[in-house]
Amino acid sequence: MKCLLAVEEGVVEFLKHQLEKSGLYGGWEFVCCSAWEEVEERRNVPVDVVVLSRFLPGAKPEEALKKTAAFFAGSHIVLLAGEENERQKQYIKIANDMGLYNIVTGRLPGERPYTIFTALKNQKMIDPDGRIIIEPIFEEIEEEARDEHRIPAAVSLEASSLKDEHNKNEEEERSKKVKRAVSEILGNDQGEISTEEIKDRLQEIITMLDREGSRKAVEVEGRRRSRGVLVCTAANKGGAGKTTVAITLAVALSRAGIPTLLADFDLGGPDIASFFGIKDVPGMEHLVGKPVRPNFIRDIIIQKGDLHILPGPMNRTIPNFSRSQFAELIETLKQMYPVVVGDTPAEFWTKPWLFDLFSRADRVLAVVDQSVFSEEDTRRYAPYLLSMGVTPERISIVLNRFSPKLKNVKKIEKSFSAGFKKDVKQLPKTVAVIPEDWDRHALGGYKGEVNLEDGQWHRLAGEIAEMAGYSYEAQAEENGRALGFLGKILKRSTTHRL
């Protein structure tokens, strides 16, 4: 377990010492940050628990609160609100409105029953009657926490604030320029964002990635695999967001310069071609009955910007692949590309051709719709994946329609992992989330507001790139290129074949 302590200097080291001394957190690693800029530097580093003090210097408390909830959406967040006063009450209200109730009040270790010792392993919730409910997240801990050590009260930093990179006028002008550029690309001269479904969905994904800045990938000498990395998305029911996950990851990797193939393995209901506006071309059905050769595959691969796409069947029939031919197709694709991202149908365990796909996958992204989360359905998820030849260490969780106000992330992970045997050491973790409101999320990108999931998606892409033998590095965005990839996709009037 890794815990990030974002607490002011003079308190953070003492807090770390007391937590380690308590003996309640064996095997935990505590990482200290005594200023907000240190937290931002670690935004792409996965942690299990984040402790944020209201008095952390370098940012206004409310701003640090909102950004922490965004950067570490999949982590258990504990807030240190300090002693009661009007500022503390306002801070707690903002946190509660965001769905964050894990708040330690008073001088450390905090007011009972929710002291810092309890908070690190337990979630605090408020029931409809206003009663406080405390539930364990990781494992049970002793009700009586060791609180004999009093920690000095933090010093209020009322005069401290995060400096703006641009003044208000510059921000408004930049927002107008971006909107005009998007409208021009989408062919709308009224200054408004087009509402056409495909273009909207593409814009949302590209905006999300662009807010974090582009990435470049460098092939690491001696680490390139002889066979590419296969990543599959999976969902136990339709509408969970697996296609969005596949496209987002594939776009991030391709934009970084990693040769990436996005393949539509949903043979019964392919969706990727329509997503990118691909039509009147042959799809995967073109390969049935032919020898599996790279030249035949290249005949049907479409290039959109930097991304290569293998469409599913375009004639609305399910191709009658033999099992051996489908397995050979997968192996050939892995030889042709460093990374293959495959989208699969819902209820994947009912499709016989998918066993050869999942059993060969290096990573499976199991998408869970948080808004319709069911413990019973989620518990059945893992056994279905195991039945398809997927081992637990190759599974990661992606939450769709994420909101801090809904079911706790750790509870979802616990339900998901309930289907594994108790001796499994490496259980699946949440690696990325898709926000509850995509439209608001995209609009926030235009306005320069905090973007929720950028860092997580680039971190996930970085992990996949490393598996393929590439170094996924940050690259400063050049002026005027924020919409470059979208422009490449939407401005092309012809389909490019390889």
Side-chain angles (χ1 to χ4, degrees):
M1 299 290 293
K2 179 174 288 188
C3 176
L4 179 66
L5 300 175
V7 182
E8 61 275 12
E9 188 175 0
V11 179
V12 64
E13 290 293 345
F14 186 73
L15 175 60
K16 176 183 177 183
H17 174 72
Q18 296 302 320
L19 292 173
E20 292 175 338
K21 182 180 176 181
S22 72
L24 297 173
Y25 311 100
W28 282 47
E29 177 187 355
F30 293 97
V31 179
C32 297
C33 292
S34 57
W36 175 251
E37 62 181 10
E38 297 176 30
V39 177
E40 287 198 316
E41 290 174 358
R42 294 182 175 274
R43 60 182 294 184
N44 292 337
V45 179
V47 294
D48 299 288
V49 181
V50 177
V51 178
L52 175 66
S53 170
R54 181 166 66 93
F55 307 101
L56 184 72
K60 293 180 180 179
E62 293 80 6
E63 185 176 1
L65 174 62
K66 293 176 182 178
K67 288 187 175 182
T68 298
F71 297 162
F72 305 100
S75 303
H76 174 55
I77 298 176
V78 176
L79 306 176
L80 306 182
E83 297 187 83
E84 183 175 350
N85 55 40
E86 288 304 313
R87 292 183 181 276
Q88 183 234 42
K89 292 179 181 179
Q90 182 181 11
Y91 182 82
I92 292 176
K93 182 180 184 304
I94 293 173
N96 289 166
D97 288 344
M98 297 173 60
L100 301 175
Y101 300 100
N102 304 317
I103 304 173
V104 176
T105 58
R107 295 185 62 182
L108 287 174
E111 298 174 343
R112 292 175 180 254
Y114 202 67
T115 67
I116 183 63
F117 297 98
T118 302
L120 291 189
K121 292 185 176 181
N122 293 267
Q123 176 187 16
K124 181 165 67 173
M125 298 179 293
I126 309 297
D127 72 6
D129 296 326
R131 293 174 297 187
I132 296 176
I133 300 174
I134 298 176
E135 293 185 352
I137 294 178
F138 304 112
E139 67 243 21
E140 297 289 343
I141 63 173
E142 297 178 8
E143 183 177 350
E144 293 294 327
R146 303 182 184 184
D147 62 349
E148 63 270 20
H149 301 285
R150 305 291 291 183
I151 296 177
V155 178
S156 177
L157 298 168
E158 298 178 6
S160 178
S161 64
L162 188 65
K163 294 182 179 180
D164 296 328
E165 294 181 1
H166 306 286
N167 61 39
K168 183 178 180 181
N169 292 335
E170 289 175 332
E171 288 186 351
E172 290 177 350
E173 183 61 27
R174 177 170 59 87
S175 177
K176 291 178 182 178
K177 288 181 179 180
V178 172
K179 287 186 177 181
R180 283 198 298 268
V182 174
S183 298
E184 180 181 352
I185 290 171
L186 299 180
N188 187 334
D189 58 6
Q190 300 302 313
E192 298 294 330
I193 304 302
S194 170
T195 57
E196 183 178 348
E197 182 179 6
I198 294 173
K199 293 177 181 178
D200 276 354
R201 293 169 71 190
L202 280 171
Q203 179 60 57
E204 290 160 7
I205 291 175
I206 304 306
T207 299
M208 182 187 70
L209 295 170
D210 278 331
R211 286 295 302 147
E212 178 70 8
S214 63
R215 295 292 190 271
K216 65 178 180 180
V218 179
E219 186 174 338
V220 180
E221 186 176 356
R223 283 176 49 190
R224 175 70 186 276
R225 294 162 51 121
S226 59
R227 295 165 65 252
V229 173
L230 173 61
V231 182
C232 291
T233 58
N236 59 348
K237 57 181 65 178
K242 57 182 177 51
T243 301
T244 299
V245 170
I247 293 173
T248 302
L249 177 60
V251 166
L253 290 165
S254 65
R255 295 179 74 209
I258 301 174
T260 302
L261 177 70
L262 176 60
D264 196 339
F265 292 115
D266 187 353
L267 304 185
D271 193 37
I272 289 177
S274 61
F275 192 105
F276 285 93
I278 299 172
K279 55 185 178 180
D280 300 327
V281 297
M284 210 174 292
E285 75 282 358
H286 183 68
L287 302 176
V288 175
K290 295 182 179 179
V292 179
R293 300 287 185 268
N295 58 312
F296 290 141
I297 297 174
R298 291 191 186 98
D299 285 343
I300 62 171
I301 288 179
I302 305 299
Q303 186 171 350
K304 290 284 187 176
D306 299 316
L307 180 63
H308 291 191
I309 301 170
L310 177 60
M314 300 293 286
N315 60 357
R316 299 187 179 183
T317 63
I318 298 180
N320 187 24
F321 286 109
S322 67
R323 181 169 178 176
S324 61
Q325 186 185 19
F326 192 70
E328 189 177 357
L329 171 62
I330 297 166
E331 290 296 333
T332 303
L333 294 176
K334 294 181 70 173
Q335 292 172 6
M336 294 173 62
Y337 289 90
V339 178
V340 178
V341 179
D343 187 32
T344 67
E347 299 185 353
F348 50 87
W349 60 92
T350 65
K351 312 300 189 292
W353 68 84
L354 289 180
F355 179 85
D356 291 294
L357 178 68
F358 277 97
S359 61
R360 287 170 168 79
D362 300 282
R363 180 75 71 89
V364 173
L365 302 178
V367 184
V368 176
D369 188 336
Q370 190 192 24
S371 66
V372 293
F373 169 76
S374 161
E375 289 192 14
E376 183 178 354
D377 288 344
T378 305
R379 284 195 179 107
R380 291 200 296 261
Y381 209 148
Y384 286 142
L385 288 170
L386 291 176
S387 71
M388 301 298 285
V390 183
T391 52
E393 69 275 7
R394 291 186 281 150
I395 303 171
S396 297
I397 301 171
V398 175
L399 290 183
N400 189 19
R401 297 184 178 92
F402 170 80
S403 170
K405 296 182 179 181
L406 298 177
K407 197 71 173 181
N408 182 272
V409 172
K410 298 302 177 184
K411 289 288 186 181
I412 294 176
E413 292 178 351
K414 184 177 180 180
S415 295
F416 188 95
S417 299
F420 295 119
K421 295 181 178 179
K422 293 183 178 180
D423 59 351
V424 174
K425 296 181 180 180
Q426 187 175 339
L427 294 173
K429 298 292 185 181
T430 301
V431 293
V433 299
I434 300 173
E436 182 181 23
D437 186 345
W438 268 105
D439 295 334
R440 179 182 57 79
H441 178 70
L443 183 60
Y446 303 139
K447 293 181 177 180
E449 298 172 356
V450 170
N451 199 280
L452 297 181
E453 286 69 41
D454 306 3
Q456 297 178 53
W457 284 103
H458 284 303
R459 184 174 67 219
L460 174 58
E463 293 176 6
I464 302 303
E466 185 176 1
M467 292 171 62
Y470 287 82
S471 174
Y472 189 81
E473 301 174 352
Q475 179 182 17
E477 194 72 45
E478 297 178 10
N479 292 334
R481 294 187 62 236
L483 299 174
F485 183 79
L486 179 66
K488 288 181 182 179
I489 291 178
L490 299 182
K491 282 186 175 181
R492 293 181 185 273
S493 58
T494 59
T495 298
H496 288 253
R497 307 282 287 277
L498 296 185

